Amino acid sequence: MNTSTHLPSLQDIEAAAEVVYRDFAPTPQYRWGLLSERLGTDCWLKHENHTPVGAFKIRGGLTYFDQLTRRGALPREVISATRGNHGQSMGWAARRHAVACTIVVPRGNSVEKNAAMRALGVTLVEHGDDFQESREHAQHLAATRGAHMVPSFHPALISGVSTYWWEFFKAVPQLDVAYVPIGLGSGVCSAIAAKLALGHRARIVGVVSNLATTYADSLAAGHVVEAPVSTRLADGMAVRVADADALAVLTQHLDHIVQVSDAEVAQAMRDLFTDTHNVAEGAGAASFAAAMQERASLQGQVVGTTLCGGNVDAPVFAAVLGGAAGGVSPAPGPAPAAGR
């Protein structure tokens, strides 16, 4: 992927915004006083949890389907794979265009994300133990049924997702650094696209789970490196195989990458709720978790973070608020021996 060819221009992003705003208004961004006190410097939070599906992905779905329509290529059925938010995006846009939508999720996926997709008219298929296995099965289904396979990383998706970073960077031109969670890469590449299109000065820092390190490992190696996934909380970042096109963009434009633990993500979920009374899913809190990890080096800077999704199952969130490090309450057991 040639970044100069495939990253959207300012004109592309502005056109995508017109498409997105047919369905909802720009989301807010606020400098939260308590978050800023906690971080020790000015902290802005972009509220993508305020979209109609509670996450940023809807923007990409709308622009992807708009481009299909403009090409006269609207299919009878689309198929894709997800851990939840991309699937809601596809379901929302497919329903808007009266297209059948089948989404493959891994076994044990978020109960509430699954319910939200079904409520949008999605036919849900559970297959595989992780996102990669679900994606491969979705590709097989699409080929077998002659349906249109929607990837999770594509220039048309990036055009839509870039609109949220375009909103953020225009609203807060003084940002020095922005922390961006990385799943398969559309969010972080969109941040880079908006930064370049606007000529914004902010450094873009990628954030991955330390239990899903394919992008960190791939950036270090200079090529795609598959890595095991064991995060229990940051399901939106639970990707086993980096996308080669996304990796090419990040190699050129990412300032650096931060790895966050499930415990740090859980703490960030608690912090965001305490300080803003907004609910963040694991990936939605990862940005603030990374900023907190690097707070000693951020003093005096204006920091941008993103609550990119708030779709967390109620029992998981309750466990996090109750102090569970990874979103699941620890099993009761004997008290540790003295001195251990």
Side-chain angles (χ1 to χ4, degrees):
M1 173 172 167
N2 183 300
T3 60
S4 63
T5 300
H6 290 277
L7 285 182
S9 66
L10 181 59
Q11 183 178 8
D12 295 331
I13 297 171
E14 290 172 343
E18 293 183 8
V19 174
V20 169
Y21 296 160
R22 294 171 195 161
D23 284 63
F24 61 95
T27 60
Q29 50 279 311
Y30 301 121
R31 180 201 176 277
W32 286 95
L34 289 172
L35 287 182
S36 296
E37 283 186 4
R38 192 182 295 274
L39 190 60
T41 195
D42 280 357
C43 182
W44 287 77
L45 183 64
K46 179 64 167 170
H47 283 281
E48 287 298 282
N49 57 313
H50 291 177
T51 75
V53 301
F56 75 95
K57 292 282 190 177
I58 186 173
R59 297 172 183 263
L62 290 168
T63 51
Y64 190 91
F65 271 79
D66 180 71
Q67 291 193 22
L68 287 176
T69 301
R70 290 174 182 274
R71 297 201 311 268
L74 205 62
R76 59 176 177 78
E77 180 186 20
V78 295
I79 294 178
S80 196
T82 190
R83 290 303 304 259
N85 291 336
H86 172 71
Q88 288 187 73
S89 169
M90 289 299 105
W92 180 282
R95 184 181 64 176
R96 196 182 200 287
H97 291 269
V99 171
C101 181
T102 297
I103 299 293
V104 184
V105 300
R107 289 182 288 270
N109 197 52
S110 162
V111 173
E112 293 173 26
K113 285 180 180 177
N114 286 355
M117 285 184 279
R118 290 190 178 102
L120 291 170
V122 166
T123 299
L124 208 68
V125 175
E126 294 184 82
H127 182 94
D129 293 324
D130 66 6
F131 169 76
Q132 184 64 23
E133 290 186 7
S134 297
R135 180 166 66 165
E136 291 167 2
H137 185 64
Q139 291 168 337
H140 170 74
L141 285 181
T144 301
R145 288 153 56 163
H148 178 85
M149 175 68 192
V150 181
S152 297
F153 185 87
H154 187 276
L157 298 173
I158 293 173
S159 291
V161 175
S162 294
T163 61
Y164 106 73
W165 289 103
W166 171 76
E167 291 170 7
F168 198 7
F169 289 143
K170 285 199 306 173
V172 194
Q174 70 271 32
L175 280 182
D176 293 303
V177 58
Y179 287 86
V180 192
I182 303 176
L184 200 59
S186 65
V188 69
C189 289
S190 296
I192 289 167
K195 165 194 162 73
L196 295 176
L198 290 169
H200 200 286
R201 64 177 186 164
R203 306 185 310 279
I204 306 298
V205 178
V207 184
V208 299
S209 168
N210 68 357
L211 301 175
T213 59
T214 180
Y215 274 99
D217 298 345
S218 300
L219 284 167
H223 57 84
V224 173
V225 175
E226 181 175 330
V229 172
S230 58
T231 176
R232 304 183 68 186
L233 188 57
D235 59 336
M237 302 160 72
V239 172
R240 176 156 50 94
V241 182
D243 183 276
D245 287 345
L247 184 65
V249 176
L250 303 192
T251 298
Q252 293 186 52
H253 299 290
L254 201 65
D255 187 81
H256 66 281
I257 203 161
V258 178
Q259 299 187 33
V260 293
S261 67
D262 275 7
E264 288 174 312
V265 168
Q267 184 60 53
M269 292 169 72
R270 289 189 286 271
D271 293 344
L272 289 167
F273 185 75
T274 300
D275 293 354
T276 77
H277 293 103
N278 279 259
V279 175
E281 62 185 276
S287 166
F288 187 71
M292 285 294 288
Q293 187 186 120
E294 297 198 326
R295 65 187 179 279
S297 64
L298 295 174
Q299 302 315 296
Q301 300 185 54
V302 180
V303 178
T305 61
T306 172
L307 205 173
C308 56
N311 298 320
V312 56
D313 286 1
V316 174
F317 191 60
V320 167
L321 290 184
V328 179
S329 298
R340 293 185 65 186

